[in-house]
Amino acid sequence: MVAGVRSLLICAALMPLTAWAGVSVNAVRLWAGPDSTRVVMDLDAPADHRIFHLRDPSRIVVDLTQARLAASAMPDGAGAVTRIRSGKRDGGDLRVVLDLSVDAIQPRSVILPPNDVYGHRLVIDLFPQGSEAARSAAPVIAQQRREVLVAIDPGHGGEDPGAIGRRGTREKSVVLQIARRLAEQINAQPGMRAMLTRNGDYFLTHRNRWQKARDQRADFFVSIHADAFKDRRAHGSSVYALSERAATDEAARWLAERENAADLIGGVSLDDKDDLLASVLLDLSQNAAISSSLNAGSFLLDELGAINDLRRKEVQQANFLVLKSPDIPSLLVETAFISNPEEEKRLLNAAYQEKIAAAIMRGIRGYFARNAPPGTQLAQARGADGDLAYRHVIGSGETLSEIAARYKVKMQEIRSANDLHGDVIRVGQVLAIPLAR
C-alpha cells in the first residue's frame, strides 16, 4: 500500500516536471522590413529545430523538438507572412506554420543566446528568393549558434603535488601541461571551446573545480590525472565516472542545502519544491549526468586504447568528489601511471603529451558528434548519417582551398563529402564540411 501511494506521488510530482523538461515558446513577434520579414520566438532555453518550405499553399514549417507554446496570442500577419498558427506533434514536438503570401521565399534561421534585453530566441528571416539580402545574410546566420564548452580540470596544484614519480615528476605539473595541450586542441575544433579550471600552480577544492564549470554552463567536465600504485609494474590508462552511491550521497547534501541550490538543468531551482519533487528532480538530473558520463567514457577509452594500454577496458565508477556536479557529464582520466618508470618517462615527453591530449579530444568530439546539445553549432552541423558535417554557405570570392584551410580539412575530403569532381564552386552553394581529423 505504501509503495503504491509513493508511486502515485512520484507520478504526480512528474507532471510539472514533464512540462518543465521541454522548451517553452513564451512569445512570438513579427516585423516586416523592405528587404525581409522577421519572425522571433522567445524561448526559455535553446531549442533544436527544423525548418522547411512547403507549397500549394506556400508556407514555412518550423518544428521545435520537445517544445510547447506558452504565448498568449499570435501576432497579426505582416510582410510575407499572412498568418501564424501552431499545433502539437506526436512525441512532444511543437509545429509552427507561417502562411505566406508569395512562393519565392528563402528562409534562414538561428538560435541566439540571451542579451541585456531578451533571453534565448529563435530568429527566422524570410528573404525574396535569390535576392542579394538572402546571399549576404546566409553565411553570417550560419555562425551564430553557441559553441560546446568543455571544462578541463588539471588535478591537484599548489600545496597538493599529487603523486610523485621516481624521477621526481609531480603529477600536478604534468597534468597541467596535458590540460593546456587539450585546451588548444579543443579550441582548434569548429563549434567547440575549452576552459581550464586552473591555469597555474595553485590549489582548488574539488567543489571549486566543478562549480567553476557550472558557473560557465559547461557542457562537459574532464579532470586530468596521472595514477600511482605501490607496485611500479602497474601501468595503463583508465577512465572514471561517478558511482551511483556517491551520487546518492551528494543528492542528500544538495537537498539539505537546497535554498542555495539554484540553476540546475534548465535553470530550475530546488528551493521552492517540496521534498519529494526536489528529490525526483535531482535524481533525474544526476542519473542523466551519470548515464551521459558512461557513454562519453567509452569514446575516450577507445581513443586512449589506441596510444596506451588500458588498465581497465570499461569505464569505472568511483566516489570522486570532483565528479559530483549534478548536471554536467563528468569524467576523470588517469592518463598513465606516474609511479611506473617507463610511463613516467613518456608523461614527461611533449610529443606523448600531445598524443594523450589528442586522444581525449577525439573521444570528447566523438561523443558530441552523436550527442550535440540543442542550440549549438554542433547540433546545427549534424549530417543525415548522424555524424557531424559543418554547413558552409559559399560567399562571393571564396575558393575551395580557402574554405579547406579555414576548417582545417583537406580539399579532397570536401570534394568527397559533396560529390565534387573539381574545384569549381558557386556563390550560394552549401557545402558539407567534414570534421577535422
Side-chain angles (χ1 to χ4, degrees):
M1 181 66 176
V2 174
V5 171
R6 180 173 175 80
S7 297
L8 288 174
L9 287 172
I10 290 175
C11 289
L14 283 175
M15 290 176 65
L17 176 63
T18 302
W20 157 79
V23 175
S24 293
V25 180
N26 295 325
V28 179
R29 294 175 281 134
L30 174 63
W31 291 274
D35 299 319
S36 65
T37 301
R38 168 166 287 193
V39 178
V40 178
M41 300 183 195
D42 292 312
L43 314 173
D44 64 355
D48 208 3
H49 72 284
R50 187 169 67 103
I51 183 169
F52 52 96
H53 188 188
L54 296 177
R55 291 176 172 81
D56 297 325
S58 181
R59 59 205 186 276
I60 296 294
V61 178
V62 186
D63 287 335
L64 293 96
T65 303
Q66 291 297 299
R68 67 183 181 91
L69 183 66
S72 58
M74 291 293 190
D76 294 332
V81 177
T82 60
R83 183 178 60 157
I84 302 178
R85 49 196 172 89
S86 68
K88 291 294 292 182
R89 305 189 69 218
D90 292 341
D93 293 351
L94 173 67
R95 170 163 287 184
V96 177
V97 179
L98 313 177
D99 291 326
L100 304 177
S101 58
V102 293
D103 282 334
I105 284 291
Q106 187 171 344
R108 292 286 182 270
S109 67
V110 62
I111 295 286
L112 294 181
N115 59 24
D116 293 339
V117 179
Y118 298 107
H120 298 281
R121 288 150 290 154
L122 169 58
V123 178
I124 302 167
D125 284 312
L126 306 175
F127 302 98
Q129 196 154 20
S131 67
E132 183 60 33
R135 287 194 293 270
S136 61
V140 176
I141 289 175
Q143 299 299 318
Q144 293 195 14
R145 284 194 171 197
R146 73 172 182 87
E147 297 167 308
V148 163
L149 178 59
V150 179
I152 305 169
D153 173 52
H156 309 283
E159 63 268 31
D160 175 15
I164 300 177
R166 194 169 186 176
R167 295 168 172 239
T169 307
R170 297 189 172 196
E171 181 182 1
K172 68 174 184 177
S173 300
V174 73
V175 298
L176 178 58
Q177 293 167 8
I178 294 171
R180 285 170 173 167
R181 297 178 189 278
L182 175 58
E184 289 180 1
Q185 295 194 28
I186 287 176
N187 286 333
Q189 299 299 310
M192 298 180 70
R193 180 167 59 89
M195 62 163 283
L196 290 167
T197 60
R198 72 174 178 95
N199 197 13
D201 186 15
Y202 48 86
F203 177 76
L204 291 173
T205 68
H206 293 102
R207 295 192 190 281
N208 285 156
R209 294 169 189 270
W210 56 255
Q211 190 59 53
K212 281 176 172 280
R214 294 191 75 245
D215 289 344
Q216 296 297 316
R217 300 188 181 275
D219 299 287
F220 193 83
F221 178 93
V222 58
S223 191
I224 310 297
H225 290 258
D227 218 339
F229 192 63
K230 60 184 177 181
D231 185 347
R232 296 185 182 276
R233 293 173 297 177
H235 67 285
S237 303
S238 51
V239 176
Y240 289 87
L242 188 65
S243 69
E244 303 288 346
R245 175 60 185 272
T248 301
D249 293 343
E250 184 67 12
R253 174 185 172 275
W254 275 75
L255 289 172
E257 302 177 4
R258 68 175 183 266
E259 66 275 7
N260 298 318
D263 299 325
L264 288 182
I265 292 178
V268 70
S269 172
L270 298 183
D271 61 355
D272 58 348
K273 308 297 188 296
D274 62 42
D275 288 347
L276 179 58
L277 179 55
S279 176
V280 170
L281 289 170
L282 192 52
D283 284 347
L284 288 173
S285 176
Q286 289 194 310
N287 289 341
I290 290 175
S291 176
S292 296
S293 301
L294 293 170
N295 184 9
S298 64
F299 285 92
L300 267 68
L301 279 175
D302 287 345
E303 297 294 342
L304 288 167
I307 65 165
N308 194 23
D309 292 337
L310 295 179
R311 180 70 172 170
R312 297 283 187 272
K313 294 186 177 181
E314 295 180 349
V315 181
Q316 305 299 294
Q317 291 182 262
N319 185 13
F320 285 119
L321 285 173
V322 78
L323 300 180
K324 286 191 172 183
S325 173
D327 50 3
I328 304 176
S330 303
L331 293 173
L332 185 146
V333 177
E334 297 284 6
T335 54
F337 275 80
I338 203 168
S339 55
N340 179 292
E342 181 58 34
E343 290 200 338
E344 179 188 11
K345 180 180 178 181
R346 291 205 296 269
L347 284 170
L348 287 169
N349 183 274
Y352 190 69
Q353 290 176 6
E354 285 286 348
K355 284 186 177 181
I356 293 175
I360 297 172
M361 180 276 294
R362 288 193 300 268
I364 295 172
R365 188 182 67 186
Y367 167 73
F368 280 116
R370 292 161 180 79
N371 301 275
T376 62
Q377 294 173 24
L378 298 190
Q380 188 179 41
R382 185 177 299 280
D385 59 357
D387 290 329
L388 290 180
Y390 297 95
R391 298 290 186 261
H392 179 87
V393 181
I394 298 170
S396 178
E398 289 188 313
T399 66
L400 194 63
S401 61
E402 290 171 344
I403 295 169
R406 173 182 172 185
Y407 288 96
K408 300 180 177 63
V409 297
K410 296 178 180 178
M411 291 175 62
Q412 182 55 44
E413 292 175 336
I414 297 179
R415 295 190 195 101
S416 298
N418 296 274
D419 196 26
L420 298 177
H421 302 291
D423 297 341
V424 177
I425 54 178
R426 65 182 185 277
V427 173
Q429 182 179 359
V430 180
L431 293 179
I433 310 296
L435 279 170
R437 299 296 179 183

